[in-house]
Amino acid sequence: MISELEKYRTADSSKVTNWYKAATVDSFPEDGGACIKYKDLQIAIFNFSRRNEWYACQNLCPHKMQMILSRGMIGSYEGDPKVACPFHKKTFSLKSGKNLNGDTCDIATYPIKVEDGFVYVGFED
Amino acid sequence: MTKIVVIGNGMVGYKFCEKLVAKNSNRDFEITVFGEEPWPAYDRVHLSAYFSGSTADDLIMAPRSWYAENQIDLHTNEMIVKIDRDQKKVISHTGHDYDYDKLILATGSGAFVPPIRGVDKKGVFVYRTLEDLDAIIDYAKNAKRAAVIGGGLLGLEAAKAVIDMGLEAHVIEFAPRLMPRQLDEAGSNTLQSKLEDLGISIHLQKNTQNITGNGRINGLKFTDDTELPVDMLIISAGIKPRDELAKDCGLDTALRGGIIVNEFLQTKDENIFAIGEAASYQNMIYGLVAPGYEMATQVVNQLANAEVKPFMGFDMSTKLKLIGVDVGSFGDPFGEVEPFKPIVYENKNSGIYKRINVSLDGKRLLGGILVGDASAYNMLWQMTQNKMPLPPEPEDLILGARGGKEAVGAGVESLPEEAQICSCENVTKGSISNLIKNDGVTKVDEIKSCTKAGTGCGGCMPMVNDLLKHQLKAMGKTVKNVICEHFDYSRQELLDLVKVKKIKTYNELLDQFGQGDGCETCKPAVASILASTWNELITHQDTIQDTNDRYLANIQKGGTYSVVPRIPGGEITPEKLIVIGEVAKKYGLYTKITGGQRIDMFGARVDQLPDIWEELINAGFESGHAYGKSLRTIKSCVGSTWCRYGVQDSVSFAIQVEERYRGLRSPHKLKGAVSGCIRECAEAQSKDFGIIATEKGWNLYICGNGGSKPQHAQLLINDVDTETCLKFIDRFLMFYIRTAEPLTRTATWLNKLEGGLDYVRDVVVNDSLGIGEELEKEMEFMINTYACEWKEVVNTPHLRAKFKHFVNADEEDPSLKFQEMRGQKIPASWG
Ligand code: SRM
Ligand SMILES: Cc1cc2nc3c(=O)[nH]c(=O)nc-3n(C[C@H](O)[C@H](O)[C@H](O)COP(=O)(O)OP(=O)(O)OC[C@H]3O[C@@H](n4cnc5c(N)ncnc54)[C@H](O)[C@@H]3O)c2cc1C
Ligand code: SF4
Ligand code: FES
């Protein structure tokens, strides 16, 4: 499972080589998330419609290694967007991936863009 | 750059790295760590959790990526076999050598194996590493009876593990009592009978002579010529420091084992330190993590030229964990250090033994023993550590003040500044108070991340919470009950706003009265307010709901969900039972009777939920709201229809009550019960509202609670007829829903309510506020607008479509994993 965690590496938007066409915009609930599959990765995508922003991060919560973050509630912490894991409410910054309320390790985040009604996630491979 | 080499990647070796990394922002240190085990450091203290489901990954202190991120060169599976002090090198079993400037020995200890003939037979194990546990689990598959040698802290933990594996358990102790280093005879006796209740056989004063069996253990033979047939043996008779490397390279080791260090944890070689269980300070080895962490901190401070306090030994107070019996021993439990007066309380019936040792002048607590109820452990230990003054009648400390008063509250406020609140991370009261006073910290999470308090065993969290509250109050900060950073209002204020301004959605409320984008605290709280006010189906705003409410099912380990159909009053026809059985079989669900008189089906994938509910709804079931902060169950006893003592038909009434309030959303969950007579078989007095039949009608009790702080419900009114009873419940519940803070059960609400029960009775029964009718109307609206959420989902394609794992693939979550237990599936374990 540790190796599971290591599959997820934050992708840098300047190094994206592959913009993966994930799904249509309306596959993602407003102010909420859903999960997509990319190769053997599970990526949580959040439609932060209140802020008119989109975020992508690993679906795996590092706290107890649960594939779940896409079902978490999103919100903000001092202005910064975050997601709360449904299991034990560990919260992670959707921008930096940092755990905001403890010392669980960080999560990987991915660049994301919306074009012509489709959501694309950027990967470095 | 200073080259630091750490031998041993156990708990203390890891803590050393963690502390050093924090001081390494200038990259002064190059850190290399060796661990001979295959895993990076893991939480040995919670090793036994492996038997109740934790995996190796759960126990890992930090993933490999953490070491990489912090530029620590981690070598697992690599054992150091030699230290060359002249060349300042260590050599590993692979033949490689590595230079060091400073060497840290954190080699821990191994299990001590007494010289018994036959210990090399198959089926004999020690209990120290994950590998030991894997071997034990494997061997236990073909075993029925197991013995543990050693009745101390670790031995008893091992015995619990034996039981958890489903084997018959025996504990063999050489001394005449259990936990001989912590308990006196009476304490041991109490513990023994508790353990025997758990099914563990205890054999005291037994000296094992040899282990019998031909190559494979089949029994134990004792010096008194008795025998005990067993298929396996776990030896847990103490620890033996791993000092062999140190000895080999000429460092001094203690007679009883351990690398000799001075108060600065230095060995006689100024470049070599020893910390953790491997170190011997003043002829003492410390088999606990807290002193090891303290040692790690001291060495890091020396390396980083920070302030260094000499290591002065460490308090060895302990609490036994995991076994299901509270045991604590603190300070000087036997009164060996100075003359004392013991105060003892023993209740054989409930299996409680408490003893405290008070100084002859009656002013100080010296130590004590708690068995069966160790809830006072933290406070008593603090009083001992800090030499705090005792109350005039010290017996109150273990008996609680009599005469209806609160137990004498040696609360956190009475602790001195230097009191150690978190012993794992050595955080004092003063440092937490200062953080609050000077750094404007107002949240527990901030305290945790700044001081690390509470991040170890977590046992101090209640104290940290109290301390925060107390300190904020002392600073004159009205601890206003605002919901979170997004709303400067209490729940009650928000509820009023919602009502008055006719607000129907979360975003409307946030835009008009809040700031930011919300969070996991205010979203569900507002969702609950909206539901309790407008009773619209919660599926319409699913993303502000907690996960259970969002998917209308309880999330379980692994990410599957459980399904609980409503079974009002616990009454169910054979036909419906069969439906449940068939559905569970079809979808491969684990079934269990819940504590709420109904049936839970576990392990449904998110995409299966609508199909499962479709079948249940077609058979006449509806949602049981087991996932909601809403009405759960109304338990019933069989009552006058069958029971020879029953005076009213409790089942019919329970069904009526459950159907009346089903789906009612509230600040926390609501539970009720109806008993058919005073014998109270439905346990109504432990419920938020409980009804007990009398010859003349019903007695209505309110604000009871089970859970971790059980509280009996109190009588609101007696001998009322059915209609009046319902009227008062309507008013009571609505009044509670209007005024309680989020996630506050009725019992806690009542405890905080000024005027208490009398006030509630005034409002509900005497209608002192003149809102009785209004409350009833509101409840009537709720009852009339009730609809089953699952029915709606099942019949609404776009809602149904939300129940899937991937939105871009028609696949199930491949990470779901199950194992089997007693013929049913359970999720692959975590921690
Ligand atoms: C399933 C069940 C255990 C069982 O297998 O028997 C259960 C399971 C859970 N209980 Fe419970 N409780 C269950 C009966 C109880 C009872 C017994 C009863 O209802 O008579 C109690 C004590 C009575 C009481 O509530 O006062 C009980 C007191 C709690 C508490 C403590 C509440 C408190 O006020 O202290 C929690 C924690 C909480 O709600 O914050 C809790 C929380 C939970 C949660 C929801 C924990 C969680 O958040 O995941 C568990 C969900 C498991 C699941 O997904 O199904 N459960 N829980 C029982 C479901 C009853 C039902 O049919 O709906
Ligand atoms: C079942 C169990 C329950 C416990 N419960 C509690 C409790 O409730 N409270 C409490 O305070 N303590 C408890 N303890 C004790 C606690 O786990 C230890 O005090 C703590 O782990 C000591 O840490 P350490 O780093 O000194 O040693 P360890 O955790 O033993 O780590 C030492 C590591 O060094 C490695 N090593 C040794 N020699 C070499 C070498 N030459 N080369 C490479 N690697 C080497 C070892 O393999 C080991 O991984 C418990 C222990 C056990 C086994
Ligand atoms: S007591 Fe309740 S919350 Fe705790 S494990 Fe059992 S079901 Fe879960
Ligand atoms: S699994 Fe995510 S917070 Fe625990």
Side-chain angles (χ1 to χ4, degrees), chain B residues 7-13 34-37 44-45 47-48 78-81 106-109 127-128 154 157 242 244-245 275-278 286-290 319 321:
Chain B
I7 309 182
N9 185 221
M11 299 188 75
V12 174
F34 295 91
E36 69 180 358
E37 294 189 67
R44 206 177 298 287
V45 169
L47 194 61
S48 299
E78 192 164 350
M79 180 162 99
I80 298 299
V81 290
T107 47
S109 54
Y127 196 83
R128 176 83 197 174
L154 291 187
E157 251 189 78
R242 302 270 307 258
E244 62 277 1
L245 270 180
I275 56 178
E277 277 188 357
Y286 293 85
L288 295 176
V289 283
K319 239 174 124 177
K321 57 186 195 299

Side-chain angles (χ1 to χ4, degrees), chain B residues 329-343:
Chain B
S329 161
F330 55 93
D332 176 12
F334 306 121
E336 293 166 333
V337 180
E338 64 170 84
F340 69 102
K341 289 184 292 195
I343 300 177

Side-chain angles (χ1 to χ4, degrees), chain B residues 656-720:
Chain B
Q656 187 184 356
V657 173
E658 182 156 345
E659 290 182 338
R660 185 177 182 85
Y661 302 117
R662 64 190 164 184
L664 177 69
R665 293 280 189 310
S666 45
H668 206 313
K669 57 194 171 196
L670 290 169
K671 300 178 179 182
V674 185
S675 280
C677 82
I678 186 112
R679 288 170 191 75
E680 244 283 68
C681 298
E683 301 170 308
Q685 288 167 95
S686 67
K687 300 295 173 210
D688 297 280
F689 54 104
I691 303 161
I692 302 177
T694 66
E695 298 283 350
K696 299 183 197 138
W698 309 102
N699 284 352
L700 175 58
Y701 293 78
I702 57 166
C703 301
N705 208 160
S708 57
K709 267 200 180 157
Q711 182 167 325
H712 276 145
Q714 301 181 49
L715 184 65
L716 182 74
I717 186 144
N718 56 347
D719 293 326
V720 286

Side-chain angles (χ1 to χ4, degrees), chain B residues 309 378-388 410-434 453 460 463-464 467:
Chain B
K309 286 180 288 181
N378 267 337
M379 249 358 266
L380 293 179
W381 175 66
Q382 289 284 1
M383 297 184 84
T384 309
Q385 280 286 91
N386 298 300
K387 307 198 170 36
M388 286 160 61
V412 287
E413 57 271 27
S414 53
L415 291 178
E417 290 299 290
E418 60 279 6
Q420 190 189 44
I421 300 287
C422 172
S423 58
C424 295
E425 295 287 341
N426 187 12
V427 183
T428 60
K429 173 181 170 184
S431 59
I432 299 180
S433 310
N434 281 339
C460 61
M463 280 201 175
V464 175
L467 189 55

Side-chain angles (χ1 to χ4, degrees), chain A:
Chain A
M1 255 307 203
I2 292 287
S3 60
E4 192 59 29
L5 195 57
E6 286 173 354
K7 285 198 220 156
Y8 296 91
R9 304 247 172 217
T10 294
D12 183 345
S13 56
S14 63
K15 294 198 197 126
V16 168
T17 51
N18 176 13
W19 281 104
Y20 173 69
K21 188 173 184 178
T24 54
V25 164
D26 58 14
S27 311
F28 304 94
E30 291 196 354
D31 290 318
C35 177
I36 64 142
K37 188 170 156 66
Y38 170 73
K39 296 189 178 166
D40 64 343
L41 302 183
Q42 296 197 21
I43 306 292
I45 293 185
F46 298 100
N47 173 7
F48 213 142
S49 42
R50 242 196 99 75
R51 296 166 66 108
N52 219 348
E53 290 166 355
W54 288 77
Y55 293 98
C57 65
Q58 68 189 53
N59 195 34
L60 182 66
C61 176
H63 175 227
K64 292 284 175 185
M65 296 293 175
Q66 300 288 303
M67 277 296 179
I68 206 66
L69 290 176
S70 60
R71 297 183 212 164
M73 251 181 274
I74 54 175
S76 62
Y77 173 67
E78 292 170 355
D80 261 359
K82 66 169 182 178
V83 59
C85 175
F87 275 103
H88 314 96
K89 302 273 169 80
K90 299 268 176 200
T91 55
F92 300 91
S93 159
L94 286 171
K95 283 193 169 150
S96 66
K98 279 232 158 341
N99 175 216
L100 301 170
N101 58 352
D103 47 11
T104 304
C105 64
D106 302 353
I107 55 170
T109 57
Y110 297 85
I112 187 164
K113 66 179 181 187
V114 174
E115 269 169 28
D116 302 330
F118 277 93
V119 178
Y120 295 79
V121 187
F123 295 96
E124 287 183 18
D125 58 332

